[in-house]
Amino acid sequence: MRANELSNEDISLLEVYIFFTRQIKTILMIFFVACAVGIAYSTTRPTLYMSVSNATIGKSISLDSNTLGLLESPEEIAYNYSSIATITPIKNTNIVKVSSTTEDRKQSIENVKSTIEKITKNQKEIYQSQENKFIKYLEILKITDAVNARTLDILQIASKSSATHSSEMVTTELPYSGKIKQNLLLTAFIAALVALTTGGLKELCRRGSEKKQLHN
């Protein structure tokens, strides 16, 4: 039993060796042609510009300053303001990353700047609406001077924490679309796969032809 297994392994290795000795020229030719096409494609990709800035989301008004909620959740911001820029919430924070990648450097910067301005403007309107409702609610109640003082403190804290602001924008140049390494690795993999497949198909055709000749 063991001898048969060893014999089968020897036959398999011999078949692999014969396959490569017969088809090595085809495999190498297809591999280099496919690599040349992939390299030509990868090195002619345009230069891109990626602009990035982090926006800190403001907090809403709350009677308890220790449990202030956000004016909008990071997920809501990602959904509402992603028309011209990519918005990525940073996990477990009130910060979102706003980015834009285009072939035009100025357009990339403008996309991020415009998106942050839109977020800031809308959140300011949300806060002002909350503040107006809060004040109207308090006017309905008969409150003491002490509560008045507490209310002013709440509004003061809220006005500071509700301001949505952003970090300095950074723009990075990405030669070859920023994916030259990935494209070259993918090219090598695909070229090898195509070359081996072509060599295998050619070998199958050769063997099929030999069998027909034997039968004839």
Side-chain angles (χ1 to χ4, degrees):
M1 184 69 178
R2 181 64 178 172
N4 289 336
E5 289 179 357
L6 291 173
S7 178
N8 290 334
E9 288 179 4
D10 291 340
I11 292 173
S12 298
L13 290 174
L14 180 61
E15 289 178 346
V16 171
Y17 173 76
I18 292 172
F19 164 71
F20 277 105
T21 54
R22 285 176 176 171
Q23 303 300 331
I24 189 64
K25 289 183 180 179
T26 299
I27 291 172
L28 288 177
M29 182 181 68
I30 297 297
F31 177 78
F32 286 122
V33 170
C35 279
V37 172
I39 291 171
Y41 172 82
S42 299
T43 54
T44 54
R45 294 302 84 205
T47 297
L48 299 180
Y49 296 90
M50 181 175 67
S51 297
V52 179
S53 180
N54 291 333
T56 302
I57 307 168
K59 296 182 179 181
S60 61
I61 296 176
S62 173
L63 292 173
D64 185 357
S65 59
N66 294 321
T67 58
L68 293 176
L70 299 178
L71 292 170
E72 290 180 287
S73 70
E75 291 74 19
E76 287 177 322
I77 289 179
Y79 178 80
N80 292 330
Y81 306 100
S82 293
S83 58
I84 59 174
T86 301
I87 300 177
T88 308
I90 297 178
K91 192 175 181 180
N92 298 326
T93 69
N94 62 328
I95 299 173
V96 294
K97 182 175 77 172
V98 183
S99 63
S100 176
T101 303
T102 66
E103 294 183 27
D104 188 322
R105 187 176 187 277
K106 290 182 179 179
Q107 186 62 52
S108 173
I109 293 172
E110 181 59 31
N111 287 346
V112 174
K113 183 179 178 182
S114 176
T115 300
I116 289 178
E117 286 178 350
K118 186 177 180 181
I119 293 172
T120 303
K121 178 183 176 183
N122 287 355
Q123 292 212 339
K124 185 177 180 180
E125 291 175 354
I126 292 172
Y127 169 76
Q128 288 177 340
S129 175
Q130 288 183 354
E131 186 180 66
N132 291 337
K133 289 179 181 178
F134 186 70
I135 292 173
K136 286 180 180 179
Y137 172 74
L138 293 176
E139 287 175 349
I140 296 173
L141 303 175
K142 294 181 179 180
I143 56 177
T144 63
D145 291 340
V147 176
N148 265 325
R150 175 58 179 164
T151 301
L152 292 174
D153 289 340
I154 291 172
L155 292 177
Q156 188 175 11
I157 293 171
S159 64
K160 291 179 180 179
S161 62
S162 67
T164 300
H165 57 278
S166 62
S167 63
E168 183 179 353
M169 191 183 309
V170 176
T171 301
T172 306
E173 183 177 319
L174 304 173
Y176 310 113
S177 298
K179 296 182 178 180
I180 186 67
K181 290 182 180 179
Q182 296 94 315
N183 286 341
L184 290 178
L185 287 173
L186 184 61
T187 293
F189 173 76
I190 293 176
L193 185 63
V194 171
L196 289 172
T197 302
T198 303
L201 291 173
K202 188 177 178 182
E203 181 67 13
L204 287 174
C205 290
R206 188 196 65 78
R207 291 186 181 185
S209 179
E210 286 181 351
K211 286 180 180 180
K212 285 182 181 180
Q213 289 177 1
L214 289 173
H215 287 305
N216 293 333

